[in-house]
Amino acid sequence: MASQSQLETLIELARRETDDAAKRLGVALKAVADAEEKLNMLVGYRDEYGKRFEASQLAGITPMAYRNFQAFMEKLDNAIKGQEEVVRHSQRRGEQEKSTWQDAERKRMSYSTLNDRAQAQALKLEAKRDQKAMDEHAARQAFYKR
């Protein structure tokens, strides 16, 4: 019985570990989605700004305005590159958290399997004892009927 209690304690600890890992995984996946959303926004803004610039070029643009556009586009490109790195980092973190969660879940399932086996063995042993007691009772009944 003490080993059963210890196993239940291990299962509870593994469950908590799995729950914590699942929460961290959720946070990591949200960070990936947020980073990707921000990247898409930057790329969209860059495309939109480029189209507006092309339209203004048709109407004529000063050299100063052209230099300002180039400088701004360079800053946007740098921001996009930086955000792409944030996305990659977030994705790596998400993969790590997923792996951690999977490991914790495997451990929890292993303990649960051990617990199920122990319970099945205990039931089998109890059934054997019951059968033995019934056999002894039947043997006594048969003995006294003679």
Side-chain angles (χ1 to χ4, degrees), residues 112-134:
S112 292
T113 300
L114 287 174
N115 190 42
D116 292 347
R117 286 179 187 163
Q119 287 178 348
Q121 190 168 358
L123 286 173
K124 193 174 179 182
L125 191 61
E126 187 177 335
K128 228 179 191 179
R129 277 191 227 121
D130 287 348
Q131 184 63 46
K132 184 178 177 184
M134 287 177 69

Side-chain angles (χ1 to χ4, degrees), residues 20-108:
D20 290 345
K23 288 175 189 169
R24 288 191 310 273
L25 176 59
V27 169
L29 293 177
K30 172 92 170 79
V32 169
D34 290 348
E36 288 174 342
E37 183 180 337
K38 188 172 182 179
L39 176 61
N40 291 334
M41 182 189 71
L42 284 169
V43 169
Y45 185 64
R46 184 191 187 286
D47 292 345
E48 181 185 321
Y49 191 75
K51 287 175 186 172
R52 278 195 281 155
F53 177 73
E54 286 176 15
S56 66
Q57 253 185 331
L58 293 175
I61 189 167
T62 66
M64 176 82 154
Y66 184 73
R67 280 191 300 277
N68 287 342
F69 168 77
Q70 283 183 319
F72 185 70
M73 289 300 274
E74 188 177 318
K75 287 180 183 178
L76 266 176
D77 287 339
N78 287 335
I80 288 170
K81 286 178 188 172
Q83 191 60 31
E84 287 171 339
E85 182 58 35
V86 169
V87 168
R88 283 190 294 276
H89 176 74
S90 297
Q91 289 170 335
R92 282 192 302 271
R93 169 98 179 160
E95 288 301 315
Q96 289 171 340
E97 292 298 344
K98 180 180 177 183
S99 177
T100 300
W101 173 79
Q102 288 172 332
D103 291 344
E105 182 65 9
R106 267 193 296 277
K107 185 164 131 183
R108 186 191 66 78

